[in-house]
Amino acid sequence: MTESAAWGQGLATVSDNATILDAWFPAPHLGSLPADADPQKVPAELAAYIGEDARRAVRRDFVTIESDFDEPPASTVDAYLRLHVLSHRLARPNTINLDGIFALLPTVAWTNAGPMHPDDAARLRPQLQQAGISAHSVDKFPRLLDYVVPPGVRIADANRVRLGAYLSPGTTVMHEGFVNFNAGTLGASMVEGRLSQGVVVGDGSDIGGGASTMGTLSGGGTTRLSIGERTLLGANSGIGISLGDDCVVEAGLYVTGGTKVSLADAAPTAAGIAPIVKASELSGRHGLLFRRNSLTGAVEVLQRTGDGIRLNAALHA
């Protein structure tokens, strides 16, 4: 990304009590709104969808907006444009100002017919059921695939990837994988575990089944993690530090910044034992294998040589 701004034209869903529930931008653009563009002119492809949907007690309005990425989002529509920019792969995670986004996103009842105000979803329940409309979640963030279908990506369960996720071509998100907003993959990767907000994964890496990455929301700290290329998080493992290229974390091992790690292949100390450091001192280094000694239970790290893992090319074509 070379621009610090974006603009878009789309549709905003507004409830009967005037709450803006969401905004959809089919083709957001980087940069400023062109000088010759008419912000009031409705594109032909959107015109047919403007109006009321009495079933959900909402209406769709046409919107045009510009975002300055150096400033926090100023409205619900502004916040949605930024999430679209991320999921359209126009800007990478952690490059857009998203400060205060939670306060701008209302809690919405997400249905198979579109968003609703939660109060209306409860009030209109019999009519909704009769119309075949059902809610699948009540949340601030919608599903990615209801707004953006990233080319070259496979997602096994749409409920587990939020709008604002950045998924590169060749990425596969399996059924138990989860990708939060402002997180994602920078190349062809396998996601079978959890990518928390702000976490990015390099090309050719594998986040194993049930693996977890520590995020920065809900008291999780301020350091955003990254995972390099050809790196493996084993099944049910987890990290609270960044990993460089060609690293492996053994299945079932959770390495936080404060984990005491034995440098298994380093010269022993005067006491004849391997040096011990906090895992945070190893954050971001390349070619490391983290494992737990099956006899002593100590967490060990060894330097690896050569490339890391190799993904199945047929699965990530």
Side-chain angles (χ1 to χ4, degrees):
M1 184 185 72
T2 58
E3 301 283 351
S4 61
W7 65 277
Q9 294 183 312
L11 300 176
T13 308
V14 185
S15 68
D16 281 355
N17 71 353
T19 300
I20 298 177
L21 302 175
D22 80 336
W24 171 56
F25 297 97
H29 304 272
L30 292 180
S32 300
L33 182 70
D36 60 349
D38 182 357
Q40 305 301 322
K41 184 178 180 180
V42 181
E45 60 270 20
L46 297 179
Y49 304 107
I50 295 174
E52 294 188 1
D53 185 345
R55 302 172 305 166
R56 294 183 287 131
V58 301
R59 71 177 191 273
R60 296 190 189 95
D61 293 340
F62 174 69
V63 292
T64 298
I65 190 170
E66 293 182 81
S67 288
D68 179 355
F69 295 155
D70 293 329
E71 299 295 328
S75 65
T76 300
V77 174
D78 188 355
Y80 265 88
L81 176 59
R82 296 174 193 230
L83 295 175
H84 278 75
V85 165
L86 287 166
S87 290
H88 277 275
R89 303 191 294 231
L90 299 177
R92 289 187 173 188
N94 305 319
T95 64
I96 294 178
N97 191 333
L98 299 175
D99 293 347
I101 193 171
F102 288 100
L104 296 172
L105 299 179
T107 299
V108 173
W110 302 102
T111 79
N112 59 328
M116 292 185 64
H117 194 286
D119 293 347
D120 293 330
R123 176 175 61 86
L124 299 173
R125 181 180 177 84
Q127 298 97 304
L128 293 170
Q129 288 185 322
Q130 190 172 29
I133 298 174
S134 60
H136 55 75
S137 64
V138 178
D139 194 10
K140 287 180 174 290
F141 288 82
R143 303 182 296 193
L144 168 69
L145 294 185
D146 289 336
Y147 294 79
V148 181
V149 181
V153 170
R154 293 196 298 140
I155 299 174
D157 185 346
N159 290 306
R160 300 185 65 83
V161 182
R162 279 175 155 178
L163 179 65
Y166 180 109
L167 300 177
S168 292
T171 293
T172 295
V173 183
M174 295 299 289
H175 297 79
E176 296 305 316
F178 172 80
V179 186
N180 210 340
F181 77 100
N182 196 38
T185 60
L186 306 182
S189 300
M190 173 67 80
V191 181
E192 300 176 271
R194 178 183 179 85
L195 296 185
S196 298
Q197 191 271 149
V199 176
V200 291
V201 178
D203 183 49
S205 290
D206 187 340
I207 312 303
S212 178
T213 56
M214 192 175 292
T216 58
L217 302 178
S218 301
T222 58
T223 301
R224 288 175 174 169
L225 305 184
S226 63
I227 296 171
E229 300 182 359
R230 301 174 303 278
T231 286
L232 170 67
L233 290 189
N236 296 317
S237 66
I239 55 169
I241 63 171
S242 293
L243 298 175
D245 300 339
D246 305 308
C247 292
V248 173
V249 178
E250 181 185 72
L253 176 62
Y254 208 117
V255 181
T256 68
T259 300
K260 298 298 191 297
V261 179
S262 174
L263 306 180
D265 51 6
T269 66
I273 61 174
I276 295 176
V277 300
K278 285 186 177 181
S280 59
E281 297 181 35
L282 305 173
S283 184
R285 295 193 186 182
H286 303 304
L288 298 181
L289 166 63
F290 291 89
R291 69 184 187 188
R292 188 177 296 280
N293 188 301
S294 60
L295 296 178
T296 66
V299 178
E300 299 177 338
V301 63
L302 295 91
Q303 189 69 47
R304 302 180 71 251
T305 58
D307 291 343
I309 63 160
R310 296 288 185 181
L311 296 179
N312 185 328
L315 294 177
H316 299 271

